[in-house]
Amino acid sequence: MFGICNLAIVPVRAEASDRSEIVTQLLFGEHIEILERKNQWARIRIQFDDYEGWVDSKQYQEITKEQFDLLSKESIILNADLIDYITAPNNLLLPIPLGASLSFLNNNEINTSNFDFEGTKTSGIKPKSALIKTAFMYLNAPYLWGGKTPFGIDCSGFTQMVYKLNGYKIHRDASQQALEGDPLSFIEECEPGDLAFFDNDEGNITHVGIIMENNYIIHASGKVRIDRLDHTGIYNPEVNKHTHKLRVIKKII
């Protein structure tokens, strides 16, 4: 069984319960494989990054395997504005966030609801220099565990979405992203767009951010913010201390 997200933002939970933590989100147009059903809940796998979790069965539209396969072959096309609108049947307007998927619009066999979109789209691979410009679109977005939008986002959701909007696929969680790319020995070797990872006292990767020029970093901590980066970690001038301990810098692209 397969499905496509037909709502703006849908929570994906760790367990089949409205009280369970949100581990990620489905954005409009993302397509999924349904792995299991439990009462009103479905355990899903998101096609883009293979991330799994539980969603309410009322919050997606079922599609056929043929439609799923067709959509998986389509080029990734995303909404490029902070918020825009899809026109649904009867001229109803459905708001969609930055990064919502519009790939299905190209194929009438998938776009059976006759959705239409007249806003700004983005697709294809952009130069690495474009990553920081995209990251600035999320500046001051509030931190939200499991979030992937300018209305609430976590550290790895932020890095994944910035990379996705520029045509690059990376995993969902910071610990997964830390396994990608090539490590750099020194901060001086890094370029804007490289990722810096941070660990806790147990040595587990718990945070990630995008390196900017001149030893600055943009990351989601309380909100998407810009702080200093040095060999120790992230220095927050508002609290006058280091808030995250640097583990490794990775060149992903």
Side-chain angles (χ1 to χ4, degrees):
M1 295 178 286
F2 303 89
I4 187 170
C5 181
N6 60 346
L7 299 173
I9 308 165
V10 169
V12 181
R13 301 183 182 275
E15 303 293 341
S17 168
D18 283 317
R19 296 186 177 185
S20 179
E21 70 169 320
I22 298 173
V23 292
T24 191
Q25 292 173 325
L26 271 181
L27 304 188
F28 179 86
E30 290 193 286
H31 57 301
I32 57 176
E33 181 178 359
I34 300 161
L35 305 175
E36 177 185 354
R37 290 187 184 275
K38 182 185 293 186
N39 299 322
Q40 73 182 63
W41 294 91
R43 185 166 66 87
I44 65 159
R45 178 186 297 128
I46 302 172
Q47 190 275 338
F48 177 76
D49 57 12
D50 291 330
Y51 209 80
E52 295 183 10
W54 292 85
V55 298
D56 190 315
S57 297
K58 299 185 295 295
Q59 295 187 313
Y60 64 84
Q61 176 181 320
E62 288 194 10
I63 59 175
T64 65
K65 183 180 187 304
E66 290 72 24
Q67 290 172 318
F68 178 90
D69 291 340
L70 283 172
L71 189 50
S72 299
K73 295 175 183 176
E74 290 283 349
S75 299
I76 294 176
I77 303 172
L78 306 172
N79 173 38
D81 283 333
L82 288 175
I83 188 168
D84 213 316
Y85 297 88
I86 282 279
T87 304
N90 301 319
N91 291 319
L92 295 175
L93 295 180
L94 173 66
I96 59 171
L98 177 64
S101 180
L102 306 170
S103 304
F104 73 96
L105 294 175
N106 288 342
N107 196 311
N108 291 332
E109 294 184 49
I110 305 170
N111 186 20
T112 55
S113 296
N114 296 315
F115 286 111
D116 189 36
F117 180 77
E118 298 181 354
T120 305
K121 304 173 186 176
T122 183
S123 63
I125 296 175
K126 310 293 191 301
K128 188 176 181 179
S129 57
L131 290 169
I132 301 302
K133 181 179 179 181
T134 302
F136 269 67
M137 296 184 73
Y138 291 91
L139 196 60
N140 292 317
Y143 183 89
L144 174 67
W145 180 270
K148 287 171 45 177
T149 79
F151 308 103
I153 199 162
D154 64 22
C155 66
S156 56
F158 169 62
T159 51
Q160 186 192 49
M161 290 304 300
V162 168
Y163 269 65
K164 183 178 182 180
L165 283 157
N166 286 280
Y168 303 101
K169 179 182 289 192
I170 61 174
H171 285 92
R172 175 61 178 86
D173 290 342
S175 59
Q176 298 172 318
Q177 294 173 9
L179 300 176
E180 302 181 57
D182 299 314
L184 301 175
S185 300
F186 305 101
I187 291 178
E188 291 76 15
E189 296 178 348
C190 70
E191 300 173 343
D194 291 339
L195 298 184
F197 296 91
F198 307 85
D199 59 12
N200 58 17
D201 293 338
E202 289 75 42
N204 299 316
I205 299 292
T206 57
H207 192 64
V208 60
I210 302 174
I211 292 175
M212 302 170 59
E213 291 183 338
N214 301 319
N215 293 340
Y216 284 94
I217 186 168
I218 183 167
H219 64 124
S221 179
K223 62 180 180 180
V224 176
R225 54 180 294 126
I226 297 171
D227 287 309
R228 298 290 296 184
L229 177 68
D230 57 31
H231 293 285
T232 299
I234 295 176
Y235 181 80
N236 183 332
E238 295 175 5
V239 295
N240 198 31
K241 67 177 183 179
H242 287 88
T243 56
H244 299 82
K245 183 178 63 172
L246 182 63
R247 170 71 170 273
V248 66
I249 296 172
K250 286 290 193 79
K251 184 181 293 294
I252 306 296
I253 55 176

